[in-house]
Amino acid sequence: MSSPSYEPRSDVDLSVPSAARAYDYFLDGAHNFAVDRAFADQVLDIAPSVPAVAKLNRSFLRRVVKFCLDQGIRQFLDLGSGIPTVGNVHEIAQQVDPASRVVYVDYEPVAYAHARQLLSGNPFATIVQADIRDPGTILDHPETRRLIDFSEPVALLMVGVLLFISDEDRPGELVGRYRELLAPGSFLAISHIASEEAGPELQAEVARLVGAYAAADEHVYVRTREEILGWFDERTSLVEPGLVCLPDWRPDNPSEASSPARLLGYGGVARVD
Ligand SMILES: C[S@@+](CC[C@H](N)C(=O)[O-])C[C@H]1O[C@@H](n2cnc3c(N)ncnc32)[C@H](O)[C@@H]1O
């Protein structure tokens, strides 16, 4: 069976808001345009918790990278990396070991362009513009091959990205296709939006958020903890504390524990056996 082909978008269309650039705006980043801010402001009106969730997610990513570095990992494949803003994976990793290697992947032209600019002159970090639904292109890409040695442990980061993958595109199988290439001792990190533990007001916010993204032709899928848990297969072991609300994963900032947005996302990391 042949895989569908997913051509990365090559155009920067400033008349259409982008999820990546709106996310950058929610993180107080500078890589967004008027069309993105207008869209983000509409989202804020109907779902004011979104920037808090974005920040909790980014903070989870930072702790995951530090955890992986502590476990001796020096290779990172970051799928759906977004626009490089402060506290990026390569900054954290290369602070600990300047020879840490990082391959970012995003299909968004502005994320790609900014990352290229930011990473020029960095021999150990790069970005590949590709759709994560096309693992072959990413894994065979010369830049991935240049920096990642799949015979050694790798941290595979799927943080805040699988919410953009529809059920038809089978996110669990997709995770599996990357997972099967990872050497024992690798780590797989996933975070995802959720709302099942939240009260009715927050659930309504999430439903309105999904509607707003759909209207902008950027579909967001909310999943249950059980569904996300199913993407970690039997050949991986979740590290403590398992798949939990984002600020509960190896917390290092007590103020996040009381964030009202804490119930709107799960994160977990598994070791590849
Ligand atoms: C919410 S941001 C997450 C950024 C970063 N991983 C983090 O957690 O802070 C999601 C990113 O995934 C990218 N993305 C969504 N679907 C994608 C796909 N199918 N292939 C590649 N990138 C994708 C978007 O362009 C966006 O930059």
Side-chain angles (χ1 to χ4, degrees), residues 27-99:
L27 289 176
D28 306 324
H31 305 297
N32 46 74
F33 300 104
V35 66
D36 310 309
R37 293 190 287 274
F39 171 62
D41 285 339
Q42 280 171 24
V43 171
L44 280 177
D45 275 346
I46 56 167
S49 304
V50 170
V53 182
K55 285 173 184 154
L56 291 179
N57 184 61
R58 197 70 175 190
S59 173
F60 167 77
L61 172 64
R62 182 177 43 73
R63 297 195 303 281
V64 167
V65 172
K66 287 187 173 162
F67 168 82
C68 291
L69 286 161
D70 286 347
Q71 304 298 309
I73 299 287
R74 295 293 183 269
Q75 314 190 87
F76 296 84
L77 181 58
D78 184 358
L79 301 180
S81 50
I83 296 178
T85 42
V86 179
N88 240 332
V89 172
H90 75 282
E91 288 168 348
I92 302 167
Q94 293 183 347
Q95 237 165 40
V96 170
D97 181 345

Side-chain angles (χ1 to χ4, degrees), residues 19-20 23 27 54 57-58 61 78-83 105-108 111 130-133 159-161 163-165 191:
Y23 181 74
L27 289 176
N57 184 61
R58 197 70 175 190
L61 172 64
D78 184 358
L79 301 180
S81 50
I83 296 178
V105 178
D106 208 292
Y107 66 2
E108 214 282 334
D131 192 310
I132 69 159
R133 292 171 295 177
V159 176
V161 67
L163 63 155
F164 296 105
I165 304 297
S191 73

Side-chain angles (χ1 to χ4, degrees), residues 17-269:
S18 128
R21 300 189 311 250
Y23 181 74
D24 177 69
Y25 179 65
F26 294 137
L27 289 176
D28 306 324
H31 305 297
N32 46 74
F33 300 104
V35 66
D36 310 309
R37 293 190 287 274
F39 171 62
D41 285 339
Q42 280 171 24
V43 171
L44 280 177
D45 275 346
I46 56 167
S49 304
V50 170
V53 182
K55 285 173 184 154
L56 291 179
N57 184 61
R58 197 70 175 190
S59 173
F60 167 77
L61 172 64
R62 182 177 43 73
R63 297 195 303 281
V64 167
V65 172
K66 287 187 173 162
F67 168 82
C68 291
L69 286 161
D70 286 347
Q71 304 298 309
I73 299 287
R74 295 293 183 269
Q75 314 190 87
F76 296 84
L77 181 58
D78 184 358
L79 301 180
S81 50
I83 296 178
T85 42
V86 179
N88 240 332
V89 172
H90 75 282
E91 288 168 348
I92 302 167
Q94 293 183 347
Q95 237 165 40
V96 170
D97 181 345
S100 297
R101 281 153 289 148
V102 179
V103 175
Y104 294 114
V105 178
D106 208 292
Y107 66 2
E108 214 282 334
V110 171
Y112 175 71
H114 279 291
R116 288 267 301 184
Q117 207 175 24
L118 187 94
L119 301 173
S120 69
N122 189 328
F124 297 126
T126 190
I127 182 158
V128 169
Q129 189 183 10
D131 192 310
I132 69 159
R133 292 171 295 177
D134 186 5
T137 296
I138 293 168
L139 298 167
D140 292 339
H141 196 283
E143 284 294 272
T144 311
R145 293 273 154 204
R146 179 173 71 85
L147 289 181
I148 306 274
D149 173 0
F150 283 99
S151 70
E152 295 288 325
V154 174
L156 176 67
L157 309 172
M158 301 182 91
V159 176
V161 67
L162 292 168
L163 63 155
F164 296 105
I165 304 297
S166 68
D167 290 346
E168 292 74 53
D169 283 319
R170 302 177 188 278
E173 283 177 24
L174 188 61
V175 172
R177 287 188 60 193
Y178 289 100
R179 143 73 192 85
E180 67 193 14
L181 279 179
L182 300 179
S186 295
F187 290 91
L188 163 65
I190 295 177
S191 73
H192 203 288
I193 189 169
S195 66
E196 73 202 68
E197 290 188 62
E201 268 181 39
L202 281 180
Q203 289 203 353
E205 259 198 51
V206 172
R208 289 194 298 264
L209 172 77
V210 170
Y213 272 80
D217 212 22
E218 284 272 13
H219 296 270
V220 169
Y221 302 89
V222 180
R223 267 109 186 187
T224 64
R225 182 173 178 280
E226 209 53 35
E227 282 175 285
I228 303 162
L229 204 53
W231 300 339
F232 293 97
D233 67 24
E234 65 285 352
R235 291 162 301 166
T236 64
S237 318
L238 275 168
V239 302
E240 287 298 319
L243 183 65
V244 292
C245 291
L246 290 169
D248 297 339
W249 196 88
R250 298 179 182 250
D252 63 4
N253 176 358
S255 72
E256 290 185 356
S258 54
S259 167
R262 62 183 293 280
L263 299 174
L264 295 181
Y266 292 118
V269 175

